[in-house]
Amino acid sequence: MSILDADRLQEFFRPKSVALVGATDKSGWSLGTYNNLLQHGFSGDVHLVNPKTPVVHGVETHRSLSAIPGPVDLVYVMTPIEVVPLVLEEGAARGIRNYVILTAGYGEVGEEGVVREQEVADIARRHDLTVLGPNGNGFINAADSITPYGLPIPPPLLGGSVGVVLQSGALASNVLAFAQARNIGISLLVSMGNETAMSVTDVMNALVDSPNTKVIALFLESIRHPEEFAEIALRALAAGKPIVALKIGRSVKASRTAQAHTGALVGDDKTVDAAFRQLGVIRVTIR
């Protein structure tokens, strides 16, 4: 797997318009994502897509991506799993390159999910799409007030110089609360999900090049691409951007937890310790 182009990722994390596909009043994820964009200062257009419901969250919807007038820079996908490929294909046909997939039920649930996840990867590769997820909450670009993120983001959202990459999206609320209590501002927070087409190393690479980021904080269940990780960690070291990592998996129980969440293999903990020391990555633990 090759590292995604950093310029493409800078574009991905700075959309000027967002379409929420599968928006519905029945979903807290949908309302949460919509409210996050409105409440935290997103200045671009937010389009809601629902083929069956003409009004969602108090605003008129579009029946499809194709029905939206004007450009769409990012599609946030909340549809049932069988509809996701159709959304990607439709978006690609009208030239939309960037997608966040909230929908779960992929490699983390077993063999059938692995097949579905491979279909997403194939579509992304065929159409040169940038895809975050699936089974991921999205991202919080505090530096630019762009917050397509499924869980509620409590105000105030403090912008700052810490870039955060999470393989467990459930931790985001804790990270934000911790940072807020200590007046620590973030530049970008990304919930990776299953890393089907965008990996932790891709986001790390973009953060090394980001002028808004001075420190990179990682929560890792696994290191999927060790060679890429090493290459980018050394780049961060040379750039004077410390990497601080909380890596779970020291115990059998933690390893099983990571496996259940993302379908990833965790790897040998002693090897991770040694590699981090060589690469200048500061490893922290929870006591």
Side-chain angles (χ1 to χ4, degrees):
M1 182 172 181
S2 59
I3 299 173
L4 291 175
D5 181 73
D7 289 337
R8 280 283 297 268
L9 282 190
Q10 296 296 341
E11 171 193 303
F12 180 92
F13 292 122
R14 300 181 69 186
K16 294 182 175 62
S17 57
V18 177
L20 307 182
V21 180
T24 170
D25 289 320
K26 299 176 182 178
S27 168
W29 297 98
S30 176
L31 182 59
T33 308
Y34 180 68
N35 282 342
N36 283 337
L37 286 165
L38 265 60
Q39 292 174 0
H40 293 287
F42 180 57
S43 60
D45 294 324
V46 180
H47 306 284
L48 305 186
V49 177
N50 187 313
K52 298 179 181 178
T53 308
V55 175
V56 170
H57 307 328
V59 300
E60 292 186 7
T61 65
H62 302 278
R63 292 187 57 82
S64 65
L65 281 174
S66 302
I68 297 173
V72 174
D73 295 326
L74 177 74
V75 177
Y76 193 94
V77 186
M78 302 176 284
T79 65
I81 194 168
E82 63 273 8
V83 181
V84 172
L86 303 178
V87 174
L88 297 178
E89 294 282 4
E90 181 186 12
R94 65 162 291 179
I96 305 170
R97 301 199 299 179
N98 302 316
Y99 300 80
V100 174
I101 302 177
L102 173 72
T103 308
Y106 289 90
E108 77 279 5
V109 301
E111 291 185 12
E112 182 179 346
V114 170
V115 173
R116 289 183 180 275
E117 193 166 327
Q118 186 58 52
E119 182 180 15
V120 170
D122 291 342
I123 294 171
R125 189 178 304 110
R126 185 165 65 249
H127 295 295
D128 190 26
L129 308 180
T130 305
V131 178
L132 175 61
N135 187 31
N137 297 331
F139 66 88
I140 300 169
N141 178 351
D144 297 301
S145 300
I146 303 171
T147 53
Y149 196 82
L151 296 173
I153 304 169
L157 178 59
L158 301 177
S161 58
V162 181
V164 183
V165 189
L166 302 169
Q167 283 181 323
S168 174
L171 274 183
S173 297
N174 301 85
V175 170
L176 288 170
F178 179 91
Q180 186 182 92
R182 289 155 181 80
N183 204 35
I184 299 170
I186 64 169
S187 57
L188 179 71
L189 182 149
V190 184
S191 169
M192 296 306 307
N194 289 9
E195 300 183 60
T196 302
M198 184 192 301
S199 69
V200 165
T201 45
D202 292 321
V203 181
M204 287 172 60
N205 191 49
L207 290 174
V208 172
D209 291 334
S210 168
N212 296 320
T213 302
K214 295 181 181 177
V215 179
I216 300 170
L218 308 176
F219 178 88
L220 301 174
E221 295 174 340
S222 66
I223 298 174
R224 294 170 180 260
H225 309 293
E227 292 182 0
E228 290 180 7
F229 186 95
E231 176 188 335
I232 295 162
L234 291 174
R235 277 215 321 122
L237 194 62
K241 295 190 177 184
I243 296 177
V244 180
L246 175 61
K247 165 71 172 65
I248 69 167
R250 289 183 183 275
S251 68
V252 173
K253 182 179 179 181
S255 298
R256 288 174 179 165
T257 300
Q259 173 70 18
H261 182 255
T262 63
L265 296 176
V266 179
D268 179 72
D269 194 67
K270 291 181 179 178
T271 303
V272 171
D273 259 343
F276 279 7
R277 283 194 298 270
Q278 276 191 322
L279 298 169
V281 175
I282 303 164
R283 185 172 187 177
V284 297
T285 57
I286 298 176
R287 297 188 183 276

